[in-house]
Amino acid sequence: MTKARDIMTPDATCIGAQETVLEAARKMKELGVGALPICGTDNKLKGMLTDRDIVVKVLGEGKDPAETKAGDLAQGEAVTIGADDSVEEILHTMSEHQVRRLPVIDGHTLVGIVAQADVARALPDPKVGELLEALSV
């Protein structure tokens, strides 16, 4: 059975909760990613920051990305998946929470990120359509 740890992108780079959204955007550009986990000073996951969050919640609202902290955009408890959870569980969690990326946790440690594309590559063809349909609603 394929597990999250088998398909994830390991060594996810965090943006600190006290770092600015501008710093997050630069880090996203440098890494070629559209989302970063937000980590607190305690190294615990606080949430996820996406490029869309930056556009809609910062720029769209006229906020200064050089002044807005990444942690200000963390909303509630982050939706995560365990490193040993199955691809089916990942699919279920993504569909249920309407997210395209999941931080992968081993114990309390962030060990990677599973994206929609990672899951699609790991699923048999009929399941890929279900994933895309569930996340496109």
Side-chain angles (χ1 to χ4, degrees):
M1 169 174 50
T2 304
K3 298 178 180 183
R5 71 172 71 249
D6 300 325
I7 63 170
M8 70 182 187
T9 300
D11 304 322
T13 300
C14 283
I15 187 72
Q18 295 305 311
E19 292 183 77
T20 68
V21 170
L22 182 58
E23 291 167 316
R26 287 181 178 146
K27 197 174 277 194
M28 285 180 188
K29 179 179 184 262
E30 176 186 312
L31 297 171
V33 298
L36 292 171
I38 303 169
C39 295
T41 54
D42 57 0
N43 283 329
K44 294 214 171 157
L45 184 67
K46 303 297 182 192
M48 288 290 288
L49 177 65
T50 66
D51 46 10
R52 186 175 193 283
D53 291 333
I54 293 170
V55 171
V56 173
K57 298 175 183 173
V58 179
L59 301 177
E61 292 182 9
K63 296 177 182 172
D64 183 352
E67 297 294 323
T68 305
K69 303 295 183 199
D72 295 344
L73 300 179
Q75 300 174 353
E77 192 170 322
V79 178
T80 63
I81 197 78
D84 292 318
D85 287 344
S86 68
V87 172
E88 288 75 18
E89 182 63 26
I90 297 167
L91 173 61
H92 173 75
T93 303
M94 284 182 164
S95 300
E96 181 180 336
H97 295 280
Q98 293 292 293
V99 296
R100 295 171 189 258
R101 299 169 190 96
L102 286 172
V104 180
I105 305 295
D106 192 357
H108 294 288
T109 305
L110 176 69
V111 294
I113 300 284
V114 171
Q116 175 182 352
D118 300 323
V119 178
R121 282 190 292 270
L123 288 172
D125 287 343
K127 291 273 191 189
V128 173
E130 291 175 28
L131 170 67
L132 296 176
E133 183 178 332
L135 293 178
S136 298
V137 174

